[in-house]
Amino acid sequence: MLKLLCNADIYTMDRSNPIVENVLVENGKIVALNVDNKIEYQKVDLEGKTLIPGLCDSHLHTVMYGSELDKIDLSAAKSIADLIELGKNHIEDKDLKKDDWIFGWGWNQENFEEDSLPTAKDLDEISKNYPIVLKRECRHVLTANTAALKAAGLYKKNIANKRVYKDEKGNPNGVLCEDAQKLILDAAPKTTVEDIKNYIIDASKKYLEYGLTFVQSDDLADSSISFHKTLQAYFELADSGKLPLRYNLQLRLTNEKDLKEFIANYKTGNYNDYLTLGPLKIWADGSLGARTAALRESYNNLDSAYGELLCSREKMENLVKIACENKMQVACHAIGDRTIEQFVEIVESMQEEYTDNLRHRIIHSQLADYQLLKRMKATGINTDIQPAFTASDWEIVENRIGKDREQQSYLWKDMIDLGINTAGSSDSPIEKPDPIWGISCLVSRKDELLKPEFGWLPNQKVTVQDALEIYTKNGAYNAFVEDKFGQIKPGYKADFSILSQNPFYVKEDKLREIEVCNTIIDGNLSK
Amino acid sequence: MLKLLCNADIYTMDRSNPIVENVLVENGKIVALNVDNKIEYQKVDLEGKTLIPGLCDSHLHTVMYGSELDKIDLSAAKSIADLIELGKNHIEDKDLKKDDWIFGWGWNQENFEEDSLPTAKDLDEISKNYPIVLKRECRHVLTANTAALKAAGLYKKNIANKRVYKDEKGNPNGVLCEDAQKLILDAAPKTTVEDIKNYIIDASKKYLEYGLTFVQSDDLADSSISFHKTLQAYFELADSGKLPLRYNLQLRLTNEKDLKEFIANYKTGNYNDYLTLGPLKIWADGSLGARTAALRESYNNLDSAYGELLCSREKMENLVKIACENKMQVACHAIGDRTIEQFVEIVESMQEEYTDNLRHRIIHSQLADYQLLKRMKATGINTDIQPAFTASDWEIVENRIGKDREQQSYLWKDMIDLGINTAGSSDSPIEKPDPIWGISCLVSRKDELLKPEFGWLPNQKVTVQDALEIYTKNGAYNAFVEDKFGQIKPGYKADFSILSQNPFYVKEDKLREIEVCNTIIDGNLSK
């Protein structure tokens, strides 16, 4: 059945043919552009709205996002007292069973009156009976209550792990960060494949509302779920045609054993039209907010704090080597310049031996300065950035790394100008999976309150055209599907997003007000 | 004497170090950045203004601009009657001598009520005694009165040159275009070296007011002046230290003889600190407005009008070959896609034989579509664009070439994104030599009336950062002086422009209101 999408401002993201009048679609594919309007096709009247290629989020965590949709949202908490109240309300609202655990997420002590981390003692005021685990906004830090500490065998335990924070007596105070979080989370009830499938479906519905038609999801490393279970959930959904949008899986296999097991049993690349298996994901440092991202020079005013490399050079080298041998792309989580440099050096050192263009990627890349970006360009390393982080972080960056390094951070425009393929992502649930918000952050570099007045580091503002490409064709390129997705071109999949207003025709401060009216996947309207 | 420029927003255009606190200058050079403010240097307090590298115009015509400063400015004429009135006023105001000629410039029949070209008959109403020559805005067309036609021996002459327009009786009607203009201009009084020096000085004063510290000037081909005379004028000014700003000369040598003569007698490159001799300039087509730019497919609704190549493939090939053999850069005037393609093909065909990176350039490049731009990038061809042309031309482009080709025209952003070194110019006197206006056009793509509302082809808008680079370091690169000019960096020349407002801190529609407060050349304030 031939369908003609028409009566819209249509931007193709194909630079050779940037604007077209209409798009002819058949069997889920684009078959022609600018066809003669007089011929009688079934018309899909887009009522003067704006049509663009389906939006892509190039790095998020679907299972975590889906599971958090029914956990306590703590992002509004302005004090520890707020945190406690939100926790109490949740218990009142929910019909909890005896063995249930309570999870929450999204607090940030930077927003608290007291500017201090909540501890087990604070959370005990919510409940002493139910184990409670509340994750910080960045998910690199959590606080557990005493019941959770007890369930995990950590209560008053003498433990020599500096990522398990201690009270004045030397006992765990409930705060755990980075991989130490596993000590608590492993004690919580196990997640089933059915649970995971529900999380994916719940998250997918939200993604479509936000205008996404394609997401690249990093899900395998939840400490409470084996990666086989998560893959099983995706495969079952894909096999039964129940994935509501396109997925690429970023495979966070945290050690050589898991990686080799994956390679022996699975295959990267195309699974079916809705699912591809993507890069090996390596998790290599923490966050800037928590001062856990690994730096080459110490954090500002903290001479001995350099953050920490969560993946040693040897381990990273080994994982990259195995990936290269198996022609597998590597996507490395790296925020601090030390982490970024380590990954770049490893890729540089392997350039002669492995000559395939595997499109390795650095996810985050906040502290890649111009010199590091030039090396990334030279080694063919791409990036997946989180534009919303400019809004979330701009006020703390100078505090963390000082004025000079601040100028060389979050260099989104420099990445584009150097020709590094730069894809946009939300890192959801860290930020809401909202590409329009991401586009707004890219163009304006302002936060929710339109601060700072002229944008943060305004020389790094990008154009609307670049911002749209970052959320469409650049995302497709990083996932090796740029021949099917991310542009409006004959032969490409008929995936689109429909916007309420033309982003080229609004002022930069109004971009955030654009609504996604609908999405089209395989030629069909989602709602 | 060490001087410290301070108390300013300082943008260096050096991506590794984009913003600095102060600049230390000695003997005309930048010696350090971000020095300790406490040490007692002579301070130049910039009072909170914005300091950027000295602005560069990469293609203009100084002798023509200087000479037009005291000719009739016809740009306000809205009818032929206006033209006549402006001419009459000029005669009244001036103390003309018996043999004087009257020159004017800047009319455009697109702005006329009658939308027709003025003829000799019209100009005779200004004066039948004085020869009168009035050039169109584009300078590719002029109208002469009967006295001028007589002086040139063209009156009622039967001449088989289709660029000499005829009346209903077949006699020249006073309109001459492209190289035919020479037939009239050769009859006018000869210009002396002193005249030329005065033109250069007059123009230079204006340039400094507009904030320019470096211009690349194409002056040699005025039909009434031998190129030796023009060079002599520049050399005398340079030798006596009287050039008020930096000049690079674009050498429009129109035939093999002149080019070989130049090569035998002069040398490209550095003449002194204020003068460099630059590329061979080849003039290869006309303008879009006059439908004389050479197209691959005919002008819209005019099946047989393709414009005209003013330099045949053989001639162009020959000139480029001689230039390459002498390691001379070539800057080719090319507006139409046919002209651009011819130059690109010639450079492509010589790539193997001549491997030096001579940074050949296409001046104008309006109708370079994305495919041509990719070929330019692949052959290392750079561009010199006229951002103000978007404001002057946007309303006529669709009329000239139709909607589809319009979308692939004036692709300033695509040039940047492809990594083509793109420098900004006014083509003055075609447009006023105002880099702030150029920057405003690049960022907003709107005209003087802020039309069209969202900018013309808004997907081609560039950022403020790109716009500033286009008028600073990109210009320096195209002239092979990027190691001395165009950035604020130790070792570079102490040339700066001082702006009344921070261009990153105003809305796009307000960029045009930024004023140039002063310029600094060799460390000295110009006023």
Side-chain angles (χ1 to χ4, degrees), chain A residues 11-114:
Chain A
Y11 292 94
T12 65
M13 301 305 128
D14 171 5
R15 294 283 184 105
S16 311
N17 190 23
I19 300 171
V20 294
E21 291 291 312
N22 56 47
V23 183
L24 190 65
V25 164
E26 186 176 37
N27 296 331
K29 277 194 177 176
I30 297 164
V31 294
L33 302 172
N34 283 334
V35 300
D36 185 348
N37 219 333
K38 279 166 272 174
I39 298 169
E40 283 303 316
Y41 301 111
Q42 183 196 334
K43 292 210 176 113
V44 181
D45 182 344
L46 297 169
E47 298 170 334
K49 299 192 170 70
T50 295
L51 188 77
I52 58 172
L55 290 159
C56 168
D57 189 311
S58 84
H59 175 69
L60 42 61
H61 307 279
T62 298
V63 175
M64 208 195 300
Y65 178 64
S67 80
E68 288 190 356
L69 284 174
D70 75 343
K71 291 173 182 166
I72 319 174
D73 177 353
L74 300 163
S75 52
K78 299 282 175 232
S79 64
I80 291 175
D82 281 359
L83 201 79
I84 293 166
E85 197 188 330
L86 286 164
K88 282 181 172 169
N89 292 345
H90 181 82
I91 292 178
E92 274 177 29
D93 294 348
K94 289 268 167 177
D95 198 17
L96 291 172
K97 278 167 273 163
K98 191 174 153 289
D99 294 331
D100 280 349
W101 283 46
I102 295 169
F103 290 94
W105 53 275
W107 59 266
N108 182 347
Q109 83 283 2
E110 303 270 345
N111 302 333
F112 289 177
E113 287 159 14
E114 49 269 270

Side-chain angles (χ1 to χ4, degrees), chain A residues 140-152:
Chain A
H140 291 276
V141 181
L142 65 75
T143 303
N145 71 346
T146 301
L149 289 174
K150 283 183 179 165

Side-chain angles (χ1 to χ4, degrees), chain A residues 328-345:
Chain A
M328 199 171 168
Q329 183 187 40
V330 180
C332 179
H333 165 118
I335 290 173
D337 53 3
R338 178 185 293 268
T339 323
I340 295 165
E341 188 170 52
Q342 174 175 299
F343 183 68
V344 171
E345 282 173 0

Side-chain angles (χ1 to χ4, degrees), chain B residues 29-90:
Chain B
K29 276 195 179 176
I30 297 164
V31 294
L33 302 172
N34 283 334
V35 301
D36 185 347
N37 219 332
K38 279 165 272 174
I39 299 168
E40 283 302 317
Y41 301 110
Q42 185 197 334
K43 292 208 175 113
V44 182
D45 182 344
L46 296 169
E47 298 170 335
K49 299 192 171 69
T50 296
L51 188 78
I52 58 172
L55 290 159
C56 167
D57 189 310
S58 84
H59 175 71
L60 41 61
H61 307 278
T62 298
V63 176
M64 209 197 300
Y65 177 65
S67 79
E68 288 190 357
L69 284 173
D70 75 345
K71 290 173 181 167
I72 320 174
D73 178 353
L74 301 163
S75 50
K78 300 281 175 233
S79 64
I80 291 175
D82 282 358
L83 201 79
I84 294 166
E85 196 187 332
L86 286 163
K88 285 181 170 169
N89 293 345
H90 181 83

